[in-house]
Amino acid sequence: MPKSLRNNIIPIILITLVIAYAVMQFASTSRRAENSNLTELVRQINAGNISELVISADGSTIRARRKDVPNVPIVVNKETNVDASALLRNFGVPPEKLNSLTYSVEAVPFLTQLSSIILYLLPVLLIGGFFLFSMRRAQSGADQAFSFGRSRARRITSEHPVVTFADVAGCDEAKQELVEIVEFLKNPEKFIQLGARIPKGVLLVGPPGSGKTLLAKAVAGEAGVPFFSLSGSEFVELFVGVGASRVRDLFDQAKKAAPCIVFIDEIDAVGRQRGAGLGGGNDEREQTLNQMLVEMDGFNTDTNVIVTAATNRPDILDPALLRPGRFDRRVVVDAPDVKGREAILKVHTRGKPLKSDVDLALIARQTPGFTGADLENLVNEAAILAARAGKTEIGQEELQAAIEKVALGPERRSRLMTPREKEIVAYHEAGHAVAAALTPEAEITVQKVTIVPRGMAGGVTWLTPEKDETALSMTRKRLEAQLVYMLAGRAAEEIIFEDVTAGAMNDLERASQIARSMVRQYGMSDELGPVSYGERSDLIFLGRELAEGRNYSEKIAEKIDNEVTKIITRAYNRAKQLLSDNRDKLVAVAKALLERETLDGNEFKAIIGLSPAPAALPSPNGVSA
């Protein structure tokens, strides 16, 4: 029985009884009103039209059978203690007429007896049901009051559909750490023989969409032990003490079910550093955190309860929560590399009809920076595009189109542009593409150029890094080359039209950010030397724009601004010189864009005289607009 019906069964019964009682009362009243016909019965007896009188078993009803119309009896209700013969005699029926009649007693039908009993018992049932319903409501309210401080953790057992480690890809090191946890729960003897103790906590750290929750589900599926799952925000309530009570109840349940695993998603909702609030250190969240610290570091050291938590903000967690003995392991779940992306694509395309020409390795190379969630969305978008086109299989074309759609959204072909605007966009994108192709130290490949609007951009130049970008691969020469092709769009406008537009706003913002990072953080300034300026603040409740402090003087600040301006100006002048020296290539690419609207990598390379490269699509990290 559904829970909602089970909770409302008593009101339903009460309403049914009330309706039944009303119907029976109406039927009884109607019967008494329609069948009280004693005068007609006396007249028919005196006329000799009655042959038989049938008296009910309880003596309350006289049913007379007529000679002329046998199928239409005359029914008379009377008092049960009055004899039928005496009643008729008193109303003027001669004795000889009464003696000529045949008398018989009718048995009361079972349904009639039952209806009479129910008619008398219904008021009692209604009153009893009303009191029972009131008591149940009162008890339910008391239960809710007492259960307010209980944990809302969802317990997952082996009966539920599970995710295993076979469904997790792209994070082999993180998976290995959790495999050891599962093995410890399944076979603790080999660890105990060497004096090893079970880790009390594992903290999964990584950007959104990297697969932290999926890893926790895989642990639940592989461990074969009870798995309690909840979010950090489920501890915190408006009322003081509720969060701490739920923490106690959660660990009580976990200890009873040990060995088991407790998973807390988004633990930063309750585990933020203490003492950062404005109202003192006794607020509800800090009490909840204090209780969690006590439970994870309790006196009972032999309980096999492992706490697994996930967060994308480890920098704001309380240090007492991160120390060994509470979270013994910190597992980093980062964005996957090219091999990891290929493995993730194989997982998400499992069970989907793919064409034989699909190259998942190529798709993986085209999507640097994509997380597991991004890749899952990519495959889903490709399936939608194939279904929209009426196809029965997903091909390489749909997967490549899905990359563009996930990165920038669908094409906005309905946006109207004047011929002048199209020409400006064409030369702007051609400037990006030509400068990127003629700057080999940028280590980037032009894969597609289009003047079809996408998202907020009037046109797009898709650029693919030749390898995944890391801190070690970002050299000074490479960063300066990136500034060149970022600013080349504005430089092309100035060269061709001898004027500039506001379309390069995003390019200028990105270029300024890179140049300022080169000076302040990377130590790539000849004037200021290898020194890092600025420091991150620990005031976690301030906005991001205020989260970085200033540890240098006004004189240094002026030098930083001058160096940033110098780097950007040098890159812009280099872009202008590069495009001026290759003006014919710039014009050829722009005219081809005005004619075809979109050029792929091979078409672009053929126009500027470079050997064509294998067809590919870019990542959103290399988009210029």
Side-chain angles (χ1 to χ4, degrees):
M1 181 184 296
K3 184 177 180 180
S4 58
L5 181 60
R6 188 167 61 249
N7 294 336
N8 298 319
I9 189 66
I10 294 180
I12 293 174
I13 293 176
L14 288 176
I15 294 173
T16 304
L17 291 176
V18 170
I19 295 175
Y21 183 75
V23 171
M24 295 182 68
Q25 287 286 3
F26 176 77
S28 176
T29 303
S30 300
R31 188 168 59 250
R32 287 195 299 268
E34 295 174 0
N35 296 336
S36 299
N37 202 1
L38 183 59
T39 304
E40 177 64 20
L41 177 60
V42 172
R43 189 178 67 81
Q44 293 291 340
I45 292 175
N46 290 335
N49 293 331
I50 302 300
S51 61
E52 181 182 6
L53 293 178
V54 180
I55 303 171
S56 63
D58 58 355
S60 62
T61 305
I62 301 174
R63 187 183 300 272
R65 187 181 300 277
R66 300 171 60 177
K67 294 179 180 179
D68 52 350
V69 189
N71 295 329
V72 183
I74 299 174
V75 181
V76 176
N77 294 297
K78 67 180 186 63
E79 298 293 335
T80 57
N81 58 353
V82 178
D83 182 69
S85 299
L87 177 65
L88 295 174
R89 191 182 299 112
N90 292 336
F91 274 82
V93 179
E96 59 274 13
K97 294 288 187 182
L98 293 175
N99 295 333
S100 64
L101 298 174
T102 304
Y103 296 87
S104 62
V105 179
E106 180 185 41
V108 180
F110 174 75
L111 294 178
T112 303
Q113 295 179 2
L114 181 61
S115 63
S116 300
I117 294 173
I118 293 177
L119 191 63
Y120 286 109
L121 290 180
L122 267 179
V124 178
L125 294 175
L126 287 173
I127 296 173
F130 175 75
F131 279 107
L132 180 60
F133 176 69
S134 301
M135 293 173 62
R136 286 282 301 273
R137 292 285 295 180
Q139 183 179 3
S140 176
D143 289 343
Q144 290 180 4
F146 284 111
S147 65
F148 196 68
R150 293 179 184 171
S151 170
R152 298 181 181 179
R154 295 165 294 279
R155 178 169 177 171
I156 301 175
T157 58
S158 57
E159 288 79 10
H160 291 75
V162 294
V163 177
T164 64
F165 285 132
D167 302 313
V168 181
C171 48
D172 296 337
E173 294 80 6
K175 186 162 62 173
Q176 181 59 37
E177 293 285 337
L178 297 175
V179 167
E180 291 182 0
I181 299 295
V182 173
E183 189 175 358
F184 202 114
L185 291 172
K186 287 184 174 181
N187 186 22
E189 289 78 12
K190 70 175 185 179
F191 296 95
I192 296 176
Q193 289 177 357
L194 298 175
R197 64 171 179 84
I198 187 170
K200 288 188 176 181
V202 178
L203 183 65
L204 302 176
V205 178
S210 57
K212 301 184 294 295
T213 304
L214 184 66
L215 272 172
K217 291 181 180 179
V219 172
E222 295 282 352
V225 297
F227 184 87
F228 296 89
S229 174
L230 75 165
S231 172
S233 61
E234 295 182 29
F235 289 113
V236 182
E237 289 283 355
L238 175 64
F239 305 103
V240 176
V242 173
S245 175
R246 288 180 179 174
V247 171
R248 287 191 295 269
D249 186 68
L250 169 65
F251 280 89
D252 287 341
Q253 294 182 38
K255 290 173 184 176
K256 292 177 182 177
C260 67
I261 298 174
V262 175
F263 175 63
I264 304 175
D265 199 7
E266 304 296 345
I267 194 174
D268 50 276
V270 69
R272 286 175 178 259
Q273 184 172 349
R274 292 169 293 180
L278 300 178
N282 195 31
D283 63 356
E284 168 65 5
R285 184 189 55 78
E286 292 192 3
Q287 289 190 33
T288 305
L289 176 58
N290 291 337
Q291 186 64 44
M292 184 177 294
L293 296 176
V294 171
E295 293 291 342
M296 291 187 67
D297 196 37
F299 292 103
N300 192 2
T301 58
D302 58 350
T303 54
N304 294 335
V305 177
I306 299 178
V307 180
T308 306
T311 182
N312 52 19
R313 296 292 308 277
D315 54 310
I316 66 174
L317 295 180
D318 194 272
L321 189 65
L322 300 177
R323 73 162 178 83
R326 290 188 176 118
F327 282 105
D328 301 285
R329 295 188 179 184
R330 178 181 295 190
V331 179
V332 177
V333 187
D334 206 349
D337 57 9
V338 61
K339 292 184 179 179
R341 292 194 296 273
E342 182 179 358
I344 292 173
L345 287 170
K346 289 180 180 179
V347 170
H348 291 309
T349 54
R350 188 187 304 161
K352 292 182 174 62
L354 297 180
K355 289 185 178 179
S356 57
D357 64 340
V358 170
D359 186 358
L360 295 181
L362 177 61
I363 300 297
R365 291 195 300 270
Q366 297 167 3
T367 53
F370 274 49
T371 64
D374 294 328
L375 294 173
E376 181 184 12
N377 188 33
L378 186 152
V379 174
N380 185 60
E381 288 291 342
I384 293 175
L385 291 174
R388 185 183 300 169
K391 300 181 179 179
T392 58
E393 292 180 322
I394 302 173
Q396 191 79 8
E397 179 183 357
E398 286 76 28
L399 288 169
Q400 292 176 343
I403 297 176
E404 298 182 16
K405 188 174 182 181
V406 169
L408 289 177
E411 295 180 343
R412 298 170 56 196
R413 292 189 174 273
S414 60
R415 178 180 172 184
L416 298 179
M417 298 176 64
T418 65
R420 176 67 173 178
E421 290 175 339
K422 275 191 174 182
E423 188 179 11
I424 293 175
V425 173
Y427 277 101
H428 183 101
E429 301 304 331
H432 284 308
V434 172
L438 300 180
T439 313
E441 61 268 30
E443 299 180 6
I444 204 161
T445 303
V446 179
Q447 301 291 354
K448 189 173 186 179
V449 190
T450 179
I451 59 173
V452 177
R454 279 182 176 271
M456 300 300 295
V460 175
T461 300
W462 290 81
L463 307 171
T464 302
E466 296 178 359
K467 56 185 177 181
D468 289 349
E469 296 181 349
T470 63
L472 298 178
S473 66
M474 302 305 295
T475 63
R476 181 174 178 176
K477 289 184 178 180
R478 187 177 182 186
L479 290 173
E480 290 177 345
Q482 287 185 2
L483 294 178
V484 171
Y485 69 72
M486 283 183 185
L487 299 172
R490 179 186 172 97
E493 293 179 14
E494 186 175 351
I495 292 172
I496 301 298
F497 304 104
E498 297 182 355
D499 197 2
V500 293
T501 67
M505 178 181 63
N506 181 256
D507 299 329
L508 295 176
E509 289 178 355
R510 294 169 56 209
S512 300
Q513 183 180 4
I514 292 176
R516 192 165 293 274
S517 297
M518 291 173 62
V519 175
R520 292 183 55 191
Q521 299 176 15
Y522 307 153
M524 295 180 180
S525 168
D526 296 331
E527 178 70 22
L528 296 174
V531 180
S532 177
Y533 295 97
E535 59 184 5
R536 295 187 178 274
S537 174
D538 292 331
L539 300 178
I540 58 177
F541 289 108
L542 296 179
R544 289 186 177 180
E545 67 277 3
L546 300 177
E548 192 168 284
R550 176 173 170 176
N551 60 354
Y552 47 87
S553 65
E554 289 292 339
K555 184 177 180 180
I556 295 297
E558 183 178 358
K559 288 185 177 181
I560 291 174
D561 293 338
N562 292 335
E563 281 296 296
V564 171
T565 303
K566 186 186 301 183
I567 292 174
I568 293 179
T569 303
R570 185 167 59 243
Y572 184 70
N573 292 333
R574 181 182 172 188
K576 284 182 63 177
Q577 185 65 41
L578 184 66
L579 295 179
S580 298
D581 295 342
N582 296 274
R583 185 181 179 120
D584 55 337
K585 297 178 181 179
L586 175 66
V587 174
V589 173
K591 288 183 177 180
L593 286 173
L594 290 172
E595 180 182 350
R596 310 179 206 174
E597 288 190 339
T598 300
L599 300 175
D600 62 22
N602 292 334
E603 293 172 335
F604 169 77
K605 291 179 185 298
I607 291 173
I608 65 174
L610 297 178
S611 59
L617 283 178
S619 75
N621 297 339
V623 174
S624 295

